[in-house]
Amino acid sequence: MKRLNAALLFSACLTGSLPVLAEDGTQVTSTENETAYFLSSSLPDKELAILMKAAEAKNIPVYFRGLINDNMDHTAKYMLNLITTYKVRGIQIDPVRFARYGVKQVPALVKKCGDHFDIVYGNVALSQALDMIGQRGDCRDNP
């Protein structure tokens, strides 16, 4: 397992050479290759919107672990506010994907290639996170 640190707003680390099983033992086999961005409503709205727009510009899906306060109505109102205020597209809710990659903190960018995946944690520019993976990750040779 490789760890690389970047000193930005939060620390970032790139983890490479991970096995087919995530920390909880679930298999990471749903897709051969994918890139996904994991975020949360715990981030300030303006920061969240900036991160979401960066992912949207690169056609990378954004995932939340679950409903806000376990309430569909609250989540829908929150997302409607983000969409109308910041003109973002929205998010997908997928706790299984969080578990599959062992994502415990956000922001987290995951790039999966075959049986391996790389994760960059922290508030780094999305293009920089992709560059980190492209230069030093196990998925560096996969577009």
Side-chain angles (χ1 to χ4, degrees), residues 57-104:
K58 297 190 177 293
N59 292 317
I60 297 173
V62 174
Y63 296 97
F64 276 23
R65 183 183 313 272
L67 298 174
I68 299 167
N69 298 328
D70 287 327
N71 184 298
M72 181 59 111
D73 188 50
H74 186 99
T75 304
K77 287 177 182 174
Y78 176 81
M79 288 312 304
L80 181 61
N81 179 57
L82 276 181
I83 290 166
T84 57
T85 303
Y86 298 103
K87 309 297 185 242
V88 295
R89 288 188 210 144
I91 54 104
Q92 297 179 50
I93 296 173
D94 192 343
V96 173
R97 195 170 248 106
F98 269 78
R100 191 176 291 146
Y101 294 114
V103 174
K104 303 271 191 247

Side-chain angles (χ1 to χ4, degrees), residues 102-122:
V103 174
K104 303 271 191 247
Q105 65 187 39
V106 295
L109 175 70
V110 170
K111 182 165 184 180
K112 179 182 182 291
C113 55
D115 293 340
H116 301 284
F117 61 92
D118 298 306
I119 303 177
V120 177
Y121 288 103

Side-chain angles (χ1 to χ4, degrees), residues 35-50:
T35 303
Y37 206 26
F38 297 88
L39 299 173
S40 167
S41 64
S42 65
L43 298 168
D45 290 356
K46 191 171 185 175
E47 181 181 337
L48 179 61
I50 290 168

